[in-house]
Amino acid sequence: MSELEFFGHIVDGVEVESLDGTRFDVWNPWKREVWAQAAEGSAADAARAVESSRRAFDEGDWPRLGRVERAKAIHKLADLMEARTDDLARLDSTNMAKPFEQAKHDVARSVWNFRFFADHQRDHCGEVYPMDSGHHTYSEFGPAGVVAAISPWNFPLMMASWKIAPAIAWGNTCIIKPSEDTPASVTLLGRLGAEAGLPPGVLNVLNGHGAPAGAALTADDRVDRVTFTGSSVTGKYVMASAATHLAPVSLELGGKGANLVFEDADLDNAVYWAVEAIFRNAGQICLAGSRLFVQDSIYDEFLARFVAAAEALTIGDPFDPATRFSSLASRRHFDKVSSYVTQAAELGGRIRTGGVATDGSWVVRPTIIDGLALDAAPYCEEIFGPVCVVNRFSTEEEAVHLANDTRYGLNAMLFTENLSRAHRVASNLRAGTVWVNCFFIRDLRTPFGGVGDSGVGREGGNFSREFFTEPKAVVMQIRR
Ligand code: TXE
């Protein structure tokens, strides 16, 4: 048997086994074989990681380092990541079947997350409040303390970097627990953090399952902030656990994004983005445009073009440059997505294209379904796979009503060439982000987060500053 790669915990800049030596298997979902092992974190391993980050925060240099020096250190980490782009991308592609070109794109975005937040904290300004009483007040943004970050498997490196970057940039120390499905790239990131010279404990990696490892982190009263991306169900546990010691939480949870295509849309553009929005990353995106609504007059034409574009996607090995679409990230997830497709057919949905592969692979082909009732589970619930449910509408009011008729509210998209309609509908949609005639475009200064079951709080730019710092007001008397 070939030697398996190993991904340990990173504590105080050193890669270590679990305290009791336990490991778990890490799968390659495209090949359907175990390719690596990772350290299985216990509650004791979580406590060791928190102790290290606590020490680094309470006694170490990092929170007290000037903002310029901290930015330099983070840029150095970003340089190392950039130099290791192919290695980081290889790990995500192997670990969750993300097409290699897309994985490299994710690395670039992760690098940018670090660079952006390094500069954002370096260049930030506080505020001054002149007062008529002979005083003035100014604000300061000091680090909050120890941050527990828990990330998912769909963008293993990118989602972790999105949390770690603002956390450490603002002078906190951080423990990241990647998903048990995808420990590889985040562990390499932890190794690079040590190589970049981040002080011990500033960036610890805790591998392992949600329970006990993740749950022990959120329950630890030495943790000052919890940032989590994952399912809405787990998000509720995380929030309840953090509440026991009053740690503020930032939760980015599930979604069932609405995509509205009006009859005056540029159809080439709308078809292109409808495909990207539900089939990129095999639909394993919280922001996916998984509910598509098309205006009556263009319904048949749009659906025909959407189906044709979905069928044109090349399915295959994530390392083949021609591949646009590969298998789902794990056996467990394949079972979940497959069961929704089966259920949709049983409930009278018309499978216009796609369906579950029958070759034993963990592929669900790009799937488009219409004709489902509005209360059918595949229509209402987050499938988190390459499955788009399509519906028609006749008026703008109806489109907005259908889009908002969900427990989720992470994002929505709309396609129209009518400027007033674009602004009107964007304003009426209940969602954290609305894309008009595009999808997945982000400026890191903007608020990001969701409404309802899609989350609590916003991150990005100053919104991240509010979460990862303890803003302070300093009131000064001015002698007259
Ligand atoms: O998510 P979990 P899973 C949705 C998607 C998917 C479903 C299940 O619908 O099919 O969730 O995926 C850690 N305390 N999303 O089971 O359980 C866990 O180890 C602390 C949407 O993977 O939410 C992992 O690191 N942590 C989503 C992370 O939480 C716990 C991305 C996410 O796992 C924990 C992923 C606990 N009690 C899934 N239990 C998105 N919004 O992008 C688990 N974890």
Side-chain angles (χ1 to χ4, degrees):
M1 194 171 113
S2 63
E3 185 87 350
L4 295 179
E5 289 195 45
F6 175 65
F7 299 97
H9 311 293
I10 309 282
V11 184
D12 283 334
V14 179
E15 188 157 354
V16 293
E17 292 268 6
S18 287
L19 288 161
D20 65 3
T22 316
R23 296 175 167 198
F24 64 95
D25 288 338
V26 181
W27 285 77
N28 173 329
W30 173 250
K31 294 191 171 166
R32 282 165 284 140
E33 66 185 26
V34 172
W35 69 287
Q37 289 199 313
E40 177 74 276
S42 64
D45 292 303
R48 173 175 64 175
V50 174
E51 198 176 306
S52 147
S53 289
R54 190 74 259 170
R55 197 169 44 244
F57 186 81
D58 294 338
E59 300 162 26
D61 294 337
W62 188 253
R64 286 158 277 277
L65 209 59
R67 61 201 169 80
V68 174
E69 288 306 310
R70 237 181 1 237
K72 266 193 214 161
I74 294 172
H75 276 293
K76 184 154 184 213
L77 170 60
D79 292 342
L80 292 179
M81 290 171 70
E82 217 155 41
R84 299 286 293 275
T85 294
D86 282 8
D87 292 331
L88 287 161
R90 174 186 69 84
L91 295 179
D92 275 354
S93 290
T94 309
N95 208 168
M96 49 87 56
K98 190 188 290 280
F100 188 56
E101 285 310 311
Q102 290 177 26
K104 285 205 284 194
H105 180 75
D106 290 359
V107 177
R109 282 183 78 157
S110 306
V111 167
W112 178 241
N113 282 340
F114 281 101
R115 296 202 189 286
F116 171 85
F117 285 108
D119 293 350
H120 186 253
Q121 72 82 33
R122 186 194 59 206
D123 300 337
H124 85 283
C125 300
E127 281 132 15
V128 177
Y129 306 81
M131 297 171 72
D132 290 344
S133 60
H135 301 80
H136 85 228
T137 299
Y138 60 89
S139 57
E140 251 188 28
F141 296 91
V146 174
V147 173
I150 298 176
S151 56
W153 45 263
N154 55 334
F155 289 88
L157 182 71
M158 198 167 94
M159 291 312 309
S161 70
W162 167 242
K163 297 174 180 309
I164 299 165
I168 65 174
W170 284 103
N172 302 289
T173 58
C174 180
I175 304 133
I176 175 82
K177 195 208 82 62
S179 167
E180 55 272 31
D181 290 324
T182 52
S185 58
V186 174
T187 307
L188 175 53
L189 177 66
R191 292 173 191 154
L192 295 179
E195 201 180 320
L198 294 181
V202 168
L203 174 54
N204 286 332
V205 179
L206 175 69
N207 274 311
H209 286 72
L217 277 187
T218 61
D220 196 313
D221 64 7
R222 295 168 297 175
V223 164
D224 301 292
R225 292 288 185 278
V226 176
T227 168
F228 170 85
T229 300
S231 64
S232 304
V233 171
T234 305
K236 290 173 191 169
Y237 285 111
V238 166
M239 191 166 183
S241 172
T244 59
H245 53 106
L246 294 179
V249 293
S250 168
L251 307 177
E252 198 247 290
L253 309 175
K256 191 82 180 176
N259 181 3
L260 310 180
V261 183
F262 289 91
E263 59 193 0
D264 61 4
D266 170 343
L267 288 199
D268 289 337
N269 187 51
V271 169
Y272 174 81
W273 285 117
V275 167
E276 282 292 301
I278 187 62
F279 300 131
R280 191 184 176 86
N281 212 35
Q284 301 162 123
I285 305 187
C286 51
L287 301 161
S290 47
R291 288 180 304 144
L292 174 65
F293 301 99
V294 184
Q295 199 153 16
D296 274 330
S297 56
I298 56 163
Y299 188 85
D300 292 334
E301 184 192 350
F302 188 86
L303 201 60
R305 290 173 67 168
F306 183 39
V307 165
E311 288 175 350
L313 292 171
T314 309
I315 304 175
D317 184 331
F319 286 100
D320 181 337
T323 296
R324 293 277 312 282
F325 186 98
S326 191
S327 74
L328 294 171
S330 66
R331 172 71 207 229
R332 183 172 57 110
H333 195 53
F334 169 75
D335 288 343
K336 172 185 161 174
V337 176
S338 306
S339 75
Y340 274 114
V341 176
T342 309
Q343 195 186 7
E346 286 165 3
L347 291 172
R350 282 185 301 260
I351 314 279
R352 297 298 195 118
T353 185
V356 178
T358 49
D359 58 0
S361 72
W362 298 346
V363 170
V364 171
R365 298 199 311 277
T367 300
I368 298 172
I369 304 173
D370 72 349
L372 274 173
L374 298 185
D375 61 353
Y379 175 86
C380 305
E381 295 171 11
E382 182 184 51
I383 298 176
F384 212 62
V387 180
C388 188
V389 296
V390 191
N391 225 316
R392 55 174 79 226
F393 66 88
S394 53
T395 64
E396 184 181 309
E397 291 69 30
E398 189 191 359
V400 170
H401 172 76
L402 285 166
N404 287 343
D405 187 21
T406 171
R407 300 193 317 272
Y408 295 109
L410 196 56
N411 64 293
M413 276 164 277
L414 68 110
F415 291 86
T416 178
E417 295 297 303
N418 178 326
L419 197 60
S420 296
R421 168 181 282 153
H423 286 296
R424 227 173 22 238
V425 173
S427 170
N428 287 330
L429 288 171
R430 190 173 158 272
T433 300
V434 176
W435 281 290
V436 181
N437 295 335
C438 61
F439 169 68
F440 218 45
I441 309 295
R442 287 248 9 238
D443 182 317
L444 291 177
R445 293 169 298 183
T446 57
F448 182 77
V451 176
D453 275 9
S454 289
V456 173
R458 296 290 186 275
E459 291 193 34
N462 283 345
F463 299 88
S464 295
R465 179 182 71 179
E466 304 306 324
F467 181 70
F468 289 108
T469 63
E470 288 290 2
K472 179 188 289 174
V474 180
V475 186
M476 285 199 59
Q477 186 187 40
I478 301 168
R479 291 214 181 85
R480 303 233 182 235

